[in-house]
Amino acid sequence: MKLRIVAIALLSIFCHNSFAQTDAATEKRIQQLIKKMTLKEKVGMLHGNSKFYTSGVKHLGIPEWALSDGPHGVRAEMNRHDWKYTGQTDDFSTCFPPGTAMAASWNLDLATQRGIVLGEEARFRKKDVLLGPGINIIRSPLCGRNFEYLSEDPFLISRLSVNYIKALQTKDVAACVKHFVANNQEDNRFVIDVNMSDRAFREIYLPGFKSSIVEAGVLSVMGAYNKFRGDYCTESNFLGRTILRNEFNFKGVYMSDWDATHSTEKAALAGLDLEMGTEKDNYNDWYFADPLIKAVTDGRIKESVVNEKVANILRVMIRTKVLDPKTRIIGSINTKEHQQAAYRSAVEAVVLLKNDKQILPLNMSALKSVAVIGDNATRKHCEGGFSSEIKALYEVTPLEAITKKYGNNIRVNFAQGYNKQSFVAERSSKGQLDTDKVDWKLIEEAVAMAKKSDVAIIFAGLNHDFDSESFDRLHMRLPYGQETLIQEVAKANPKTIVVIIAGSPLELAGIESRVPALVWGWYGGMEAGNAVVDVLSGKEFPSGKLPFTMPVTLSQSPAHALGAYPGHDLKVNYDEDILVGYRWFDTKGIQPQYPFGYGLSYTSFTIDNAATNKKMYGMDDEVTVKFNIKNTGKTDGAEVVQLYAGQTVSSVLRPKKELKAFDKIFLKPGEQKTVNLKVKIKDLAFYDEKSSKWKVEPGEFVFYVATSAQDIVSTLPVTVQ
Ligand code: BGC
């Protein structure tokens, strides 16, 4: 009996998370509502009636629907009819580190925590749909939105977004996975026509969306601005019908990105449900407004097409209890728990790239003075980045954190070091021109501070003038003369530590060899300063791993090496095909600055006794790779163990290896754990373009137990029959 109750409970959790099975009662309720609606009322639900709301149908108890950005916090309230903030004082919220930082933690529990917090805060702010996560593949180091996205690897993206979405949606809020699909550059994003092979589409660009829909049951999907194989994404029958509805059995809402709808009939027939953000003052003029009513009355579109869209919206409303407000979660905001979650997320994102002679962690009690240098020591980043900007309740900068935690005992010598030189007045990459000036006066001040301090910490990197929606960077270098600054400070004080604050790859060769320690701190959200300072001081340990490859130069990176970015004549062909990120570096034997999955620790680990459970596998089998991991150092630590697999001989080109499983293992000094990582043989498949099916070719496969894409601990060959 007890077992049965547990089974039923588990089943209900499963059904709750999985959206495919909508129940008969819900469908009946939807149809009853639709029957009572006029065409005008129905169409009112299919387009915005302001920047972030759609109309309800009052007499049926259907309220306005409230949508809000964004992926790492609930955005401040905006005016209904323009892009200005209302300026109210009750819309501060918790700001998490953006997507790349979430991915750098490689911690699925933190993705779950984030989803829960965002869901609670969205509900408290009376939002029905939260527009995130943004899960486009990081294809070029230059993409302005890399910071908001997660990774170059579809498996890592899938695992994190599934947890995030499931957790968020338990709070009666719909997640909206975006931007479907191939919005991998911001340059020409409104018009660029992306072409890629079926294989690249299936193996690299689609998996994150597929698992978000099929596994996590995401309730809404946002169609991207760009074109895909000649059609705007929002008008592509292939994307909207063949993939979303038919293959993935998606029953939620397919909405346009803001101002990404371009037609009435074509978009409506291609499966788009909801038009948002169109830049036309009169909402009745929008494609899914009066023109849609006319298309129906003229007989160009059947009313059943409209009904289908309304049903999709009602289904999500019912699922998130919009129509049953009394039973709905009320939510909470800015709680200590939420702030703690943001802190953990920032701590676990920090990646230690270099640590010569264990200069880190700093022994704070032995220090008398520290030079804190750089614009990023004092800059707040939550409020930047365009649609994902957050009005954080507070944001702790690194300088504030150091001063507050150690200022009583240690002299903190601050120097600006470099100035943020550009201001993005217009949303284009032009704002980045002329940002390479070296300011020798600031450098001299910084050198003087470094000379008179025991250690120097430079907070360098980018800001949201570079890592931002709507344009790409022009190059991969550190702007504002920071390379010169770092070189000069390092000459003045050999104990110079560089902390990079940025959300996309940077050229590091010019500084890496000059300093003993290099740390990647990301944009750390509202707890950024506390988190990074606690890692530097050893109060916390670094446990992040790079979610993308750090190339030495831009020209190493696949799309750039092949001249396949940003495209020609508003078309871009993904010539690197499936060889994105480490798949390219590995397969071509190119040495990056730092590989995908890389990150050091303050302690040391050994991994041994790695073995597969069998040597021969059938097509329906699952491989278990088992090994022991031990913390052999003196402090607590965590290692992200990564399992890659590759096929030795294949009829098609395959990447040398691909990430198939990972886990983050926390260990006390001397502690040992046994780890089991599992991979289904069917997940070793490639997408066969000839048969349009996933295919596993029998033969030898190699499993690699690793701590980065290049740090292979154990190589385990197996045979698949
Ligand atoms: C962005 C979306 C965002 C929307 C609403 C668009 O410009 O691409 O990610 O959700 O604006 O702000």
Side-chain angles (χ1 to χ4, degrees):
M1 183 64 185
K2 250 195 198 150
L3 258 183
R4 213 174 133 232
I5 294 171
V6 173
I8 291 170
L10 280 177
L11 192 71
S12 73
I13 288 171
F14 175 74
C15 290
H16 190 64
N17 285 331
S18 155
F19 193 68
Q21 312 90 331
T22 170
D23 54 88
T26 302
E27 292 309 309
K28 196 168 159 203
R29 187 173 174 194
I30 290 170
Q31 291 315 320
Q32 280 168 347
L33 284 167
I34 290 178
K35 263 189 219 137
K36 292 182 193 139
M37 291 165 72
T38 64
L39 180 59
K40 199 167 178 350
E41 284 169 343
K42 292 178 197 172
V43 167
M45 293 180 69
L46 305 185
H47 63 90
N49 67 8
S50 52
K51 289 292 175 206
F52 286 95
Y53 290 88
T54 63
S55 297
V57 184
K58 217 169 170 191
H59 68 96
L60 295 174
I62 304 171
E64 272 197 322
W65 211 29
L67 296 81
S68 171
D69 285 309
H72 45 267
V74 185
R75 195 179 185 182
E77 295 301 326
M78 312 210 73
N79 289 337
R80 279 182 77 93
H81 304 299
D82 64 45
W83 286 105
K84 293 198 187 80
Y85 288 102
T86 59
Q88 57 201 72
T89 50
D90 58 354
D91 57 350
F92 291 94
S93 62
T94 298
C95 175
F96 278 86
T100 27
M102 163 163 90
S105 78
W106 292 63
N107 186 333
L108 299 182
D109 294 339
L110 292 183
T112 298
Q113 243 182 47
R114 175 183 297 239
I116 289 172
V117 172
L118 294 181
E120 283 171 355
E121 300 219 342
R123 273 315 301 136
F124 190 86
R125 292 267 308 279
K126 304 211 167 359
K127 305 300 178 196
D128 302 311
V129 183
L130 198 62
L131 305 170
I135 62 161
N136 294 96
I137 290 281
I138 296 184
R139 172 178 182 254
S140 158
L142 300 187
C143 174
R145 287 188 103 165
N146 284 343
F147 77 99
E148 245 186 282
Y149 297 151
L150 309 186
S151 174
E152 66 188 25
D153 181 76
F155 181 75
L156 182 58
I157 292 175
S158 297
R159 292 340 316 142
L160 290 159
S161 43
V162 162
N163 278 35
Y164 171 124
I165 291 164
K166 277 186 175 176
L168 181 103
Q169 294 189 166
T170 61
K171 299 294 170 186
D172 300 341
V173 178
C176 179
V177 74
K178 63 191 190 181
H179 309 86
F180 187 63
V181 66
N183 182 183
N184 308 102
Q185 66 186 57
E186 292 296 283
D187 270 18
N188 294 321
R189 66 173 174 168
F190 295 115
V191 282
I192 191 85
D193 183 7
V194 180
N195 273 284
M196 65 175 82
S197 70
D198 279 349
R199 251 192 101 186
F201 178 62
R202 298 280 175 172
E203 293 185 23
I204 306 291
Y205 296 92
L206 195 56
F209 291 98
K210 181 176 180 180
S211 25
S212 295
I213 294 165
V214 176
E215 224 182 300
V218 76
L219 294 165
S220 64
V221 174
M222 186 188 290
Y225 284 124
N226 49 283
K227 292 181 180 170
F228 182 78
R229 295 180 179 166
D231 286 320
Y232 282 109
C233 288
T234 53
E235 294 182 350
S236 160
N237 207 59
F238 172 68
L239 294 177
R241 295 279 177 200
T242 311
I243 299 292
L244 282 188
R245 303 296 181 192
N246 299 346
E247 278 193 36
F248 297 167
N249 196 22
F250 176 59
K251 299 243 185 296
V253 174
Y254 183 32
M255 72 178 77
S256 72
D257 198 343
W258 269 236
D259 203 19
T261 312
H262 302 276
S263 62
T264 301
E265 264 175 82
K266 196 170 177 192
L269 294 173
L272 190 74
D273 296 317
L274 176 59
E275 174 188 13
M276 290 305 295
T278 302
E279 292 291 341
K280 286 184 185 176
D281 287 345
N282 186 346
Y283 297 97
N284 293 329
D285 292 342
W286 286 22
Y287 297 103
F288 278 19
D290 285 354
L292 181 57
I293 296 180
K294 189 152 192 316
V296 174
T297 47
D298 287 357
R300 279 174 285 127
I301 289 181
K302 291 197 188 112
E303 191 157 347
S304 60
V305 174
V306 169
N307 291 348
E308 178 198 1
K309 299 179 194 312
V310 174
N312 291 336
I313 295 175
L314 288 172
R315 199 172 293 118
V316 174
M317 286 183 159
I318 292 170
R319 168 71 170 68
T320 51
K321 307 200 179 111
V322 174
L323 303 189
D324 306 285
K326 286 201 183 106
T327 62
R328 206 171 183 203
I329 289 169
I330 292 165
S332 56
I333 201 152
N334 296 321
T335 67
K336 279 272 163 285
E337 289 77 22
H338 293 184
Q339 290 154 12
Q340 182 59 23
Y343 170 78
R344 286 261 33 105
S345 179
V347 165
E348 289 202 30
V350 175
V351 182
L352 181 62
L353 294 172
K354 180 177 181 183
N355 193 18
D356 273 2
K357 297 195 190 122
Q358 305 253 324
I359 184 172
L360 291 174
L362 295 169
N363 181 354
M364 299 309 274
S365 55
L367 292 181
K368 292 203 174 54
S369 56
V370 51
V372 175
I373 297 166
D375 184 74
N376 272 337
T378 56
R379 183 160 300 285
K380 298 189 177 185
H381 296 286
C382 288
E383 62 219 12
F386 207 27
S387 72
S388 70
E389 60 204 12
I390 305 297
K391 190 165 139 191
L393 183 66
Y394 61 83
E395 179 176 344
V396 181
T397 66
L399 182 64
E400 281 165 3
I402 293 189
T403 311
K404 187 150 185 235
K405 287 167 192 276
Y406 301 103
N408 285 343
N409 304 316
I410 299 177
R411 207 173 55 250
V412 179
N413 298 317
F414 172 71
Q416 178 68 26
Y418 66 92
N419 262 331
K420 172 172 172 301
Q421 289 160 13
S422 73
F423 177 72
V424 184
E426 45 178 326
R427 302 214 64 81
S428 84
S429 49
K430 279 189 222 138
Q432 295 166 45
L433 294 173
D434 209 21
T435 54
D436 288 333
K437 273 184 250 138
V438 177
D439 188 327
W440 280 102
K441 192 168 164 286
L442 291 182
I443 293 180
E444 277 158 25
E445 277 168 27
V447 164
M449 288 299 182
K451 272 192 182 146
K452 65 177 190 185
S453 305
D454 294 341
V455 295
I457 311 174
I458 308 179
F459 291 91
L462 300 174
N463 53 48
H464 289 306
D465 277 7
F466 290 88
D467 276 320
S468 177
E469 178 180 340
S470 107
F471 51 85
D472 292 342
R473 284 187 296 158
L474 295 176
H475 57 74
M476 210 178 83
R477 297 187 304 275
L478 276 164
Y480 314 132
Q482 291 178 82
E483 207 173 283
T484 311
L485 166 75
I486 293 167
Q487 291 169 357
E488 293 302 315
V489 171
K491 276 190 228 158
N493 189 331
K495 291 190 179 162
T496 293
I497 293 146
V498 173
V499 180
I500 301 283
I501 306 297
S504 9
L506 280 165
E507 269 180 32
L508 298 175
I511 58 168
E512 203 266 353
S513 56
R514 318 281 178 120
V515 293
L518 190 56
V519 173
W520 197 281
W522 310 102
Y523 300 110
M526 68 198 298
E527 286 284 341
N530 286 333
V532 78
V533 169
D534 285 350
V535 171
L536 296 175
S537 73
K539 183 169 179 247
E540 302 280 353
F541 52 81
S543 64
K545 298 272 186 170
L546 291 177
F548 51 64
T549 308
M550 194 80 68
V552 179
T553 58
L554 188 61
S555 58
Q556 278 191 330
S557 184
H560 297 270
L562 299 174
Y565 166 94
H568 303 282
D569 303 328
L570 304 181
K571 287 189 176 29
V572 59
N573 195 47
Y574 288 6
D575 293 331
E576 73 283 9
D577 203 43
I578 50 163
L579 296 184
V580 176
Y582 67 89
R583 288 166 168 78
W584 165 267
F585 284 81
D586 264 11
T587 311
K588 301 280 178 192
I590 300 167
Q591 185 62 37
Q593 185 74 43
Y594 292 111
F596 172 81
Y598 178 82
L600 303 171
S601 175
Y602 290 159
T603 185
S604 52
F605 304 97
T606 54
I607 293 175
D608 54 27
N609 283 326
T612 51
N613 58 332
K614 295 197 285 184
K615 292 274 169 263
M616 298 268 228
Y617 294 90
M619 290 294 173
D620 296 326
D621 285 350
E622 185 175 70
V623 180
T624 302
V625 174
K626 186 174 170 181
F627 53 88
N628 295 328
I629 178 164
K630 185 172 180 182
N631 180 346
T632 51
K634 294 194 181 69
T635 55
D636 290 1
E639 179 61 289
V640 176
V641 288
Q642 301 155 43
L643 185 64
Y644 296 84
Q647 183 161 26
T648 326
V649 182
S650 159
S651 68
V652 295
L653 173 76
R654 300 205 63 178
K656 175 139 195 281
K657 61 183 186 300
E658 298 177 275
L659 184 69
K660 294 292 170 192
F662 63 87
D663 200 357
K664 188 166 190 174
I665 314 291
F666 291 80
L667 295 162
K668 302 243 166 262
E671 192 184 14
Q672 173 168 313
K673 280 185 187 164
T674 301
V675 180
N676 287 292
L677 296 176
K678 291 178 189 296
V679 183
K680 293 200 172 72
I681 293 296
K682 75 170 180 39
D683 291 335
L684 301 176
F686 66 91
Y687 188 79
D688 179 31
E689 294 186 329
K690 285 195 207 119
S691 62
S692 301
K693 285 203 174 86
W694 290 92
K695 187 167 172 185
V696 180
E697 284 178 343
E700 187 187 65
F701 284 81
V702 180
F703 284 88
Y704 304 88
V705 179
T707 56
S708 87
Q710 286 196 352
D711 295 284
I712 312 293
V713 185
S714 192
T715 302
L716 307 166
V718 303
T719 305
V720 174
Q721 288 172 319

